[in-house]
Amino acid sequence: MLTLRLCQLLGSGQYLRDWLDRERIGQDSAYEQEGKVQFVIDAVYAMGHALHNMHKNLCPGKVGLCPKMDPVDGTELLKYIRSVNFSGIAGTPVTFNENGDAPGRYDIYQYQIKNSTPEYKVIGHWADHLNLKRVMLAQPLLSFDMSVSEILPLFLVQMERLHWPGGGNRLPTSICSQPCRPGERKKLVKGIPCCWHCERCDGYQYQQDEFHCKVCRLSERPNENHTGCIPIPIVKLEWSSPWAVVPVFIAIMGIIATLFVVVTFVRYNDTPIVKASGRELSYVLLTGIFLCYATTFLMIAEPDLGTCSLRRVFLGLGMSISYAALLTKTNRIYRIFEQGKKSVSAPRFISPASQLAITFSLISLQLLGVCIWFIVDPSHSIIDYEDQRTTDPRFARGVLKCDISDLSLICLLGYSMLLMVTCTVYAIKTRGVPETFNEAKPIGFTMYTTCIVWLAFIPIFFGTSQSAEKL
């Protein structure tokens, strides 16, 4: 109708054709079309194609609307719209996916510097698949359902318009998303959730998950690559250790020497010299010396309930027996000579039976203290992970030992030290006895040297770090 009206107004068809020819929009035309017009046209055509296809299916062979399309079902029409497929006004296919969206079309640019002039170069396009400028591919298309591992081998090819820094053709790696090595956690960059720094799980930490490190339990240390925890090795004093061989050798020699003296005393038990030396207390003293040497084997044996219990009993008992016997002897000598200065009568409690009673009374105090200790704190073995917890987890060790603290050990040996000091005081008081009395001065010399040994032993023992070798 519009064309007929124009013909009537203009007068002839030839004039109309000349007018339409002059109004053509060509490449040299100054006319610039608005960029969204093609989408409006394509939308109209999509609607037309959908209605046409719907009419063909619902009203075959009929002109105009049939009852099935009067009125038009919008839901049914939407299905036909989504199924259209035709070439749009710009020459690109017009299709829709299952969500009703048109496929995305993108130009792929690369920032390049050519002749000192920076610019963006189009190196390819994406319209449901990848199209590069020149790609030597056996498979020319990449689709959305392909994985990254499938896309990269196809993308890493030589392209005539693709340039990388340094002039090479190798794809540069991203320093933002380098995968972390085992034993490292990802520390996310603030504000950039897809970028991170790799941070080593150091010390006694292990990699709990992708983003966190966690400290191993006290009895464990991290494995070599800090991806998990392994038990800390347990050490104890071994019989083959030099720290054990030397004391054992000395203890064996001491036991042999002690047994030799005991056999000698037994053989010459009724001789005047053995009787004059205080035969009964000498046997007690030799028993204490034997226990001191024998305790060495308990200290080296593997700690368990039985070994730890015997250590508590015999560690201080041998010294208590020895010092109790020496104290009783020195006290007897002191009382005899002090009483001689006042009268000719003999002092009380100097008979062998009395001497043994005094000695065992002193020893019983040591045993009473040990029994109380057993009641308050039963003995058991422990694994100490703190004493050898080094900075480097590779050298960390757990020490298997008896649960005897330094304070408990001081209390255990404190009574023996008290007996030793008291015996030394009496030895000093009896230093002026006649030389014919052959017991006083050797006892005094023994106590002087013993005090020196103890003064050296205490700071060395309690000043050293705890270890498997510390007894």
Side-chain angles (χ1 to χ4, degrees):
M1 296 296 292
L2 178 60
T3 304
L4 294 175
R5 182 60 178 164
L6 285 173
C7 290
Q8 292 173 358
L9 292 174
L10 296 176
S12 70
Q14 181 62 37
Y15 182 84
L16 178 60
R17 287 192 296 272
D18 294 340
W19 178 74
L20 290 174
D21 288 340
R22 289 196 301 269
E23 294 302 318
R24 288 185 181 278
I25 302 173
Q27 293 182 352
D28 300 329
S29 174
Y31 173 77
E32 184 176 348
Q33 180 173 284
E34 204 278 327
K36 303 298 188 294
V37 172
Q38 73 175 73
F39 300 112
V40 176
I41 296 173
D42 289 343
V44 174
Y45 272 107
M47 181 64 74
H49 280 285
L51 288 171
H52 177 72
N53 295 334
M54 186 177 182
H55 186 269
K56 285 175 60 177
N57 291 337
L58 299 181
C59 306
K62 292 186 178 183
V63 178
L65 296 178
C66 63
K68 291 184 179 180
M69 292 186 65
D70 188 16
V72 175
D73 186 357
T75 304
E76 189 71 18
L77 178 59
L78 180 60
K79 296 179 181 179
Y80 283 96
I81 293 175
R82 289 185 175 181
S83 63
V84 299
N85 189 352
F86 63 94
S87 181
I89 191 173
T92 58
V94 177
T95 58
F96 301 96
N97 58 23
E98 63 274 8
N99 298 318
D101 298 321
R105 296 181 179 88
Y106 306 96
D107 289 332
I108 302 175
Y109 291 85
Q110 186 188 38
Y111 183 77
Q112 299 179 2
I113 298 178
K114 190 174 183 180
N115 298 327
S116 301
T117 303
E119 61 180 354
Y120 284 96
K121 287 284 188 180
V122 177
I123 62 171
H125 305 277
W126 179 276
D128 197 36
H129 58 267
L130 180 64
N131 291 297
L132 299 177
K133 286 295 184 180
R134 182 174 71 87
V135 187
M136 304 302 294
L137 292 174
Q139 300 157 284
L141 301 179
L142 300 177
S143 60
F144 280 113
D145 59 355
M146 295 180 68
S147 65
V148 175
S149 61
E150 293 172 324
I151 291 175
L152 284 180
L154 301 178
F155 190 74
L156 298 177
V157 294
Q158 174 66 27
M159 291 168 287
E160 62 180 2
R161 306 193 67 180
L162 199 58
H163 299 273
W164 300 115
N169 299 322
R170 184 177 180 183
L171 204 75
T173 57
S174 171
I175 61 173
C176 179
S177 56
Q178 287 285 354
C180 294
R181 294 177 296 180
E184 295 179 343
R185 74 177 184 95
K186 290 181 180 179
K187 184 179 181 181
L188 296 178
V189 178
K190 188 176 182 180
I192 312 177
C194 60
C195 295
W196 59 82
H197 299 299
C198 294
E199 191 175 76
R200 178 73 173 171
C201 297
D202 56 0
Y204 287 84
Q205 295 180 333
Y206 71 97
Q207 184 182 4
Q208 185 182 21
D209 53 38
E210 191 176 4
F211 300 98
H212 299 92
C213 294
K214 188 177 180 180
V215 179
C216 294
R217 292 185 297 177
L218 183 63
S219 60
E220 296 177 335
R221 64 179 181 181
N223 55 19
E224 188 174 355
N225 56 8
H226 287 251
T227 56
C229 295
I230 57 176
I232 294 178
I234 308 301
V235 297
K236 60 182 181 64
L237 186 58
E238 301 292 343
W239 292 98
S240 58
S241 171
W243 296 95
V245 171
V246 174
V248 166
F249 175 77
I250 295 174
I252 292 175
M253 297 304 295
I255 289 174
I256 293 174
T258 304
L259 292 177
F260 175 77
V261 175
V262 170
V263 171
T264 303
F265 264 66
V266 172
R267 182 178 180 182
Y268 301 99
N269 186 58
D270 295 325
T271 59
I273 190 171
V274 172
K275 292 181 179 180
S277 65
R279 178 175 54 187
E280 293 77 10
L281 289 180
S282 296
Y283 285 125
V284 175
L285 178 60
L286 290 171
T287 302
I289 294 174
F290 176 84
L291 289 178
C292 289
Y293 285 122
T295 305
T296 303
F297 299 95
L298 289 176
M299 303 305 294
I300 300 174
E302 180 175 350
D304 54 26
L305 178 60
T307 303
C308 294
S309 300
L310 291 176
R311 283 188 187 182
R312 287 192 181 187
V313 175
F314 291 103
L315 183 59
L317 182 61
M319 287 181 285
S320 297
I321 293 175
S322 301
Y323 292 138
L326 289 175
L327 176 59
T328 304
K329 276 198 173 199
T330 53
N331 174 265
R332 176 174 175 272
I333 295 171
Y334 172 76
R335 288 190 296 111
I336 289 175
F337 281 95
E338 286 296 315
Q339 183 68 21
K341 294 177 182 179
K342 300 176 183 179
S343 65
V344 292
S345 61
R348 298 166 59 186
F349 307 117
I350 61 172
S351 65
S354 300
Q355 296 294 291
L356 289 176
I358 294 173
T359 301
F360 288 124
S361 298
L362 295 174
I363 296 172
S364 64
L365 293 178
Q366 171 74 22
L367 294 175
L368 178 62
V370 172
C371 292
I372 295 174
W373 188 11
F374 273 116
I375 296 173
V376 174
D377 182 19
S379 63
H380 59 279
S381 61
I382 61 171
I383 300 176
D384 194 343
Y385 295 99
E386 290 287 351
D387 294 331
Q388 291 198 26
R389 193 174 178 85
T390 57
T391 305
D392 190 341
R394 295 177 300 173
F395 303 108
R397 297 292 184 271
V399 181
L400 178 62
K401 62 181 183 180
C402 292
D403 186 24
I404 301 178
S405 64
D406 290 346
L407 179 61
S408 301
L409 191 60
I410 291 175
C411 295
L412 179 65
L413 301 178
Y415 182 67
S416 298
M417 288 187 283
L418 177 63
L419 294 176
M420 177 196 66
V421 172
T422 307
C423 186
T424 303
V425 172
Y426 278 108
I428 294 174
K429 288 183 177 183
T430 58
R431 67 184 184 278
V433 299
E435 294 183 1
T436 54
F437 202 93
N438 61 358
E439 281 186 310
K441 290 186 178 181
I443 292 176
F445 176 78
T446 301
M447 299 316 303
Y448 304 151
T449 54
T450 302
C451 288
I452 295 173
V453 171
W454 272 89
L455 289 174
F457 164 76
I458 293 174
I460 291 175
F461 184 86
F462 294 104
T464 55
S465 60
Q466 294 286 339
S467 66
E469 289 79 19
K470 180 176 176 180
L471 299 180

